[in-house]
Amino acid sequence: MEWLDILSNVLHPSVSVYLVIGVLVGVGIGTLPGLTATMAVAILTPLTFWLQPEQGFAMLIGVYNSAIFAGGISAILINTPGTPASIATSFDGFAMTRKGEVGLALGINTIYSVIGGLFSSFVLIIAAFPLARFALKFGPAEYFALAIFGLSMMISVSEKSILKGLLIGTLGLLISTIGLDPMLSSPRYTFGNIHLMEGISFIPVMIGLFGVGEVLHQIFENDQKVRSIMADNTIGRIFPTLGEVKRLLPSTALSSVISVVTGAIPGAGGDIASIICWDQAKRMSKKPEEFGEGSIEGLANTCLANNGVIGGAMTTMLTLGIPGDAVTAVLIGSLMMYGMQPGPRLFVEHADFVKRFMLLMVLANIVILFVGLLGAKLSVKILKVKKEIIWMLVLLLCVIGSYALNSSFVDVVVMSVAGILGFFFRKMEFPLGPFILGMLLGRLGESNLRRALALSQGSYSIFITKPITIILLIAAILSIVIPLIKEFNKKKTVQIH
Amino acid sequence: MINADIIFGSISSLISILFYVVSLSFPKGTTDGIPGPGYFPQLMAVIIFVLSIILIVSGIKNKKRYIVLNEKTSKNVKPLILTIAAMGCFIGLWEFIPFILGAFLYLLILNIIFKQKLKFAVIFAATTTAVIYFIFVNIFHIML
């Protein structure tokens, strides 16, 4: 199918209505602090199982893009980022609110999030197919090296402790071995239980970790104090002036490129991109002293970066099957639920779906533009929803969502165990990212390692004689070593001081 | 009080030993060096064991407390435990009582745990259960 046919297909009400629903749900979830885009996609994934893939993904793409954009709303209004990607948005966004420029801050958040999202979506459309064609040359050795490269990201997504990241990531890898062996189909760690033959289902684990785990964490950390919501709903002008737009042009153009590239690097998400872009905008600005005090340049660049990373992350996820962050990791699980394995073969076997996916990314941003601008005043009111109501809804939906996927009671048990573990992991500063990477990439790595060794008749030289494998393995080694050196230097500096 | 890192490290090391021992019964690899089903899990189990020991050692050195009960959080322990217990009861009774009744009671109990007004609690629990039941049973055709 050609692009125009696909465009008319995704514009059809049977698909676009799900996109609009997804965007609205994402705005609600993203605005509420503590509810992340990852949680939203994880919970909604089993609920979309009964839809056609394009309908289900219309909803998920809508939720993902809009939740990231809406994370900026609470950052602007109450100085609390709705999602981790909006941390830098609060630097100038909340300062603008205090100056009485709420409407302008919300308008800039919407407009520049959409610009970032659209730019990165076009990069996805342009770059993904050539990259996938290149990746089609991959054999088992290259796939194994790719899995190792993906797994090396455990270090960079380890947050506070590399040791804990590695430990929990390897636990994820070990759990991925439960079920039938990928080569010989002999059962491993099933203990005669038929439900374990297919392994531990990924989706209930995700729902538990990000849904129940997060709610339990919030209950424990709950501050009884009432949130400081604005007393009146007057927000002032929404649109920036032409002069302001011209002033923003050079720095935002550069931020567009930076954020897409950052997004394409596995392990580097919107939080990192927005801080980098905020910093580069400050360096370029004629008024750097305004940064952190309500600068529209600072705000625009961080908002642009949040959504600008999505297209980059999607490019890596779709073409190579490597998750760029937690949300794309969940989206890989969502694709698998529909029987599609992300990677270069997806572009051959489901080329039409990939094109729909890309156009849905573009359309999601257009819908966000209208929802964001028209609903700027309404978004202030979303923050008045009681957190207890959200907790109860999430807790119930997590149970039903995990059951609904396979009508399996075992999945509900897995989800609840994962939820309780998710709480303790958060409390004990165990990052969840490496665990997901381990569960996702374990089978890919193991099966291709053994296939490659079968081809080379047991010789490990197969991994150091192919150029792509060598490049990927060197990249993996670098992404392990560089953060370790940084960590070492940091500790050394602390010791000196 | 035992450090949480030591507890987690001990549990994960025991898990690694269990997985390693069980993997010894898996079919062996071929004579020309192609690894069998036990190779990968054994490798992972060894790595986990080593990392767990390092975690235990760092736990002995650091003695960091992760779950700190202060003025704010001490009040939240009770609702946290009750929420987990309510979820456990809901899931435990899943196969014994109809979903619609279980979900209603679950939401009602959660409302009480979160100190919502009784009138609101009943209306919220009944409405939410009805809407969710309708969506899943009539639209998604799932037998709840």
Side-chain angles (χ1 to χ4, degrees):
Chain A
M1 282 172 92
E2 286 308 311
W3 287 98
L4 276 177
D5 295 333
I6 292 168
L7 180 64
S8 68
N9 180 274
V10 294
L11 283 173
H12 193 272
S14 66
V15 178
S16 53
V17 74
Y18 289 101
L19 184 73
V20 176
I21 293 171
V23 168
L24 294 174
V25 171
V27 169
I29 288 172
T31 306
L32 294 164
L35 301 187
T36 61
T38 316
M39 181 203 256
V41 176
I43 295 171
L44 277 178
T45 291
L47 307 186
T48 59
F49 183 61
W50 292 268
L51 305 173
Q52 293 295 316
E54 59 267 31
Q55 294 172 329
F57 269 87
M59 200 179 239
L60 297 178
I61 288 168
V63 167
Y64 180 16
N65 283 278
S66 65
I68 297 293
F69 138 75
I73 295 174
S74 55
I76 289 166
L77 295 176
I78 56 168
N79 201 22
T80 309
T83 58
S86 304
I87 291 166
T89 305
S90 58
F91 297 170
D92 289 294
F94 187 62
M96 286 179 73
T97 298
R98 281 185 305 192
K99 288 199 299 190
E101 296 174 332
V102 188
L104 183 60
L106 290 173
I108 284 176
N109 180 40
T110 306
I111 293 165
Y112 285 91
S113 291
V114 169
I115 291 172
L118 283 174
F119 180 79
S120 72
S121 300
F122 287 122
V123 172
L124 169 70
I125 291 170
I126 295 162
F129 277 94
L131 195 59
R133 269 196 293 276
F134 170 70
L136 269 174
K137 294 171 187 161
F138 286 16
E142 285 83 358
Y143 271 113
F144 170 70
L146 191 62
I148 293 293
F149 176 59
L151 288 170
S152 69
M153 295 304 153
M154 274 183 193
I155 306 269
S156 56
V157 294
S158 282
E159 297 166 18
K160 289 181 182 170
S161 166
I162 290 175
L163 171 65
K164 288 182 176 178
L166 283 175
L167 177 56
I168 202 167
T170 322
L171 274 169
L173 283 168
L174 190 62
I175 287 170
S176 78
T177 64
I178 295 173
L180 293 178
D181 163 51
M183 291 280 281
L184 305 175
S185 293
S186 59
R188 296 187 298 190
Y189 309 114
T190 56
F191 305 104
N193 188 331
I194 197 163
H195 297 292
L196 291 175
M197 288 290 184
E198 287 186 18
I200 301 287
S201 187
F202 176 71
I203 302 290
V205 174
M206 299 292 299
I207 296 173
L209 285 176
F210 290 103
V212 172
E214 180 59 41
V215 169
L216 294 178
H217 183 251
Q218 285 188 27
I219 292 170
F220 184 72
E221 294 293 334
N222 182 27
D223 198 337
Q224 309 286 339
K225 283 185 284 182
V226 182
R227 289 195 212 109
S228 55
I229 308 290
M230 293 184 313
D232 68 281
N233 293 333
T234 314
I235 61 170
R237 75 176 167 111
I238 291 172
F239 293 98
T241 62
L242 197 62
E244 285 167 338
V245 172
K246 278 181 186 168
R247 186 152 63 92
L248 291 172
L249 198 60
S251 61
T252 50
L254 185 58
S255 290
S256 304
V257 180
I258 292 173
S259 52
V260 174
V261 174
T262 310
I265 300 168
D271 44 356
I272 296 171
S274 55
I275 290 170
I276 295 172
C277 292
W278 186 82
D279 189 54
Q280 71 80 20
K282 190 179 177 183
R283 287 167 201 269
M284 286 175 73
S285 176
K286 287 173 186 166
K287 296 176 182 174
E289 70 283 356
E290 285 183 2
F291 277 66
E293 303 294 329
S295 160
I296 60 163
E297 282 177 272
L299 179 66
N301 280 281
T302 58
C303 296
L304 186 141
N306 290 346
N307 284 62
V309 297
I310 298 177
M314 290 289 197
T315 308
T316 315
M317 187 271 273
L318 287 173
T319 56
L320 303 177
I322 299 290
D325 54 14
V327 192
T328 41
V330 181
L331 281 171
I332 289 181
S334 316
L335 279 167
M336 286 170 162
M337 187 183 76
Y338 284 107
M340 289 180 268
Q341 177 72 45
R345 296 220 60 81
L346 184 74
F347 287 71
V348 179
E349 291 160 4
H350 302 281
D352 285 349
F353 172 78
V354 173
K355 287 176 184 170
R356 282 192 194 105
F357 190 105
M358 291 167 171
L359 289 179
L360 283 167
M361 285 279 294
V362 175
L363 290 176
N365 281 290
I366 294 167
V367 176
I368 289 170
L369 183 67
F370 287 103
V371 170
L373 293 176
L374 297 173
K377 202 166 181 175
L378 192 69
S379 61
V380 178
K381 290 179 181 166
I382 295 176
L383 286 162
K384 291 179 180 173
V385 176
K386 281 184 181 175
K387 54 186 175 290
E388 288 84 357
I389 291 175
I390 305 296
W391 292 344
M392 288 187 278
L393 287 173
V394 171
L395 287 170
L396 184 64
L397 282 173
C398 285
V399 174
I400 301 169
S402 56
Y403 175 79
L405 190 61
N406 296 314
S407 296
S408 165
F409 180 67
V410 175
D411 283 352
V412 180
V413 176
V414 168
M415 183 282 300
S416 53
V417 172
I420 293 167
L421 283 176
F423 167 73
F424 283 106
F425 286 164
R426 279 175 177 81
K427 290 311 304 168
M428 292 177 64
E429 297 171 2
F430 275 97
L432 300 178
F435 187 74
I436 300 156
L437 274 174
M439 273 196 82
L440 268 176
L441 298 177
R443 292 225 145 202
L444 180 78
E446 185 192 0
S447 56
N448 284 295
L449 167 70
R450 289 166 64 193
R451 278 192 194 113
L453 288 174
L455 284 173
S456 67
Q457 296 190 317
S459 169
Y460 284 84
S461 63
I462 191 168
F463 300 114
I464 49 167
T465 49
K466 291 167 174 259
I468 297 169
T469 332
I470 294 169
I471 292 167
L472 285 167
L473 289 176
I474 290 172
I477 291 166
L478 287 176
S479 57
I480 292 169
V481 172
I482 291 169
L484 284 174
I485 293 170
K486 276 185 185 168
E487 179 85 1
F488 178 74
N489 287 339
K490 207 166 79 182
K491 278 187 182 168
K492 212 173 162 184
T493 316
V494 171
Q495 276 175 356
I496 290 166
H497 289 287
Chain B
M1 196 176 178
I2 302 171
N3 183 287
D5 284 343
I6 299 173
I7 297 171
F8 190 90
S10 306
I11 294 169
S12 56
S13 60
L14 288 174
I15 290 171
S16 69
I17 293 169
L18 174 76
F19 271 70
Y20 190 91
V21 171
V22 173
S23 72
L24 295 173
S25 63
F26 297 161
K28 299 281 176 284
T30 58
T31 49
D32 55 1
I34 301 163
Y39 172 76
F40 194 72
Q42 278 172 10
L43 185 66
M44 293 306 114
V46 170
I47 296 170
I48 290 168
F49 185 78
V50 173
L51 292 171
S52 302
I53 299 300
I54 299 171
L55 184 67
I56 292 170
V57 173
S58 75
I60 294 167
K61 281 183 185 172
N62 291 333
K63 294 192 171 74
K64 186 177 177 183
R65 288 183 69 188
Y66 294 99
I67 301 178
V68 182
L69 292 180
N70 51 32
E71 198 186 341
K72 182 182 81 176
T73 53
S74 58
K75 289 176 192 166
N76 299 331
V77 175
K78 196 175 157 187
L80 175 73
I81 293 170
L82 288 174
T83 304
I84 295 171
M87 188 171 71
C89 290
F90 178 44
I91 294 168
L93 293 170
W94 186 274
E95 291 180 327
F96 302 104
I97 60 170
F99 169 82
I100 203 156
L101 178 64
F104 172 75
L105 291 174
Y106 180 47
L107 285 178
L108 192 66
I109 290 166
L110 286 178
N111 268 285
I112 293 165
I113 294 169
F114 299 141
K115 295 175 182 167
Q116 303 298 301
K117 285 178 184 164
L118 191 63
K119 190 179 167 187
F120 170 82
V122 174
I123 295 168
F124 176 78
T127 320
T128 309
T129 307
V131 170
I132 285 177
Y133 187 82
F134 174 80
I135 292 171
F136 278 83
V137 174
N138 293 298
I139 298 174
F140 295 149
H141 303 291
I142 298 166
M143 291 305 292
L144 287 172

